[in-house]
Amino acid sequence: MTYADVAASTPSKTTRARGSGRTRGTNVNDDAIDRALVLAARIRTFLTTYDARDKCASMAQYCALFVSNGEAGRALNASKSLAMARKPFRALKELDALAPAVERKFGSKTRARARMSAIEEGAFYGKALGMFAYFAFDHVVWATSAGIVGSTRDAALQEKAQRASYWGWFLGSACGLF
């Protein structure tokens, strides 16, 4: 149900409530309920996308990290658990990061493309490749820590993948500044 569906189904202020002589909507509580229903529909629509759910989980993760202040305890454990729980849901996210570069390079030749200077084009492709590397190596880190790739004690592979993931994130973020 979308916001438009809720707004269309919300009764007007002049409709009569069943079994009473008063009109619906004249009571402050009825207006508050209507507004709450519209807000609930907006939130539901927002949370139907993957990115919205990921951002909500990310906010919870960083709030827990903030509350923990980096000290060992329940809040820090919650933050780490949320970080690990978010990773498998990013499957194929690296393809989303690479798609604009592939579209620009191999896309339709008939559609007009915006002209870019060499620096802008390099930054565009650098951002796409950096974020692709970040997500791809982040999957390796998760798979290693979960015991899917290698063993859970394969710290060397996990450390190399983590370092490559961070460098990919750095490259993608730095190129995004241009």
Side-chain angles (χ1 to χ4, degrees), residues 63-172:
C63 284
L65 186 62
F66 177 76
V67 167
S68 75
N69 199 23
E71 297 174 8
R74 293 171 111 183
L76 186 61
N77 290 342
S79 176
K80 289 178 181 178
S81 295
L82 283 166
M84 290 304 290
R86 288 176 52 212
K87 290 187 183 201
F89 296 107
R90 292 181 180 176
L92 302 178
K93 185 81 171 164
E94 62 273 7
L95 297 180
D96 288 343
L98 196 60
V102 172
E103 174 69 26
R104 180 162 180 82
K105 184 71 176 171
F106 302 109
S108 173
K109 303 289 185 198
T110 58
R111 193 172 70 200
R113 294 186 192 143
R115 300 285 292 163
M116 290 185 182
S117 68
I119 293 174
E120 290 173 328
E121 193 158 346
F124 177 78
Y125 288 117
K127 178 182 176 186
L129 291 173
M131 295 311 287
F132 173 81
Y134 165 67
F135 287 118
F137 286 112
D138 199 41
H139 290 322
V140 175
V141 170
W142 172 80
T144 304
S145 65
I148 297 171
V149 174
S151 68
T152 55
R153 296 195 176 125
D154 195 3
L157 174 63
Q158 188 173 3
E159 185 179 327
K160 287 177 184 177
Q162 186 72 58
R163 188 174 293 131
S165 174
Y166 286 151
W167 277 108
W169 175 81
F170 173 73
L171 175 67

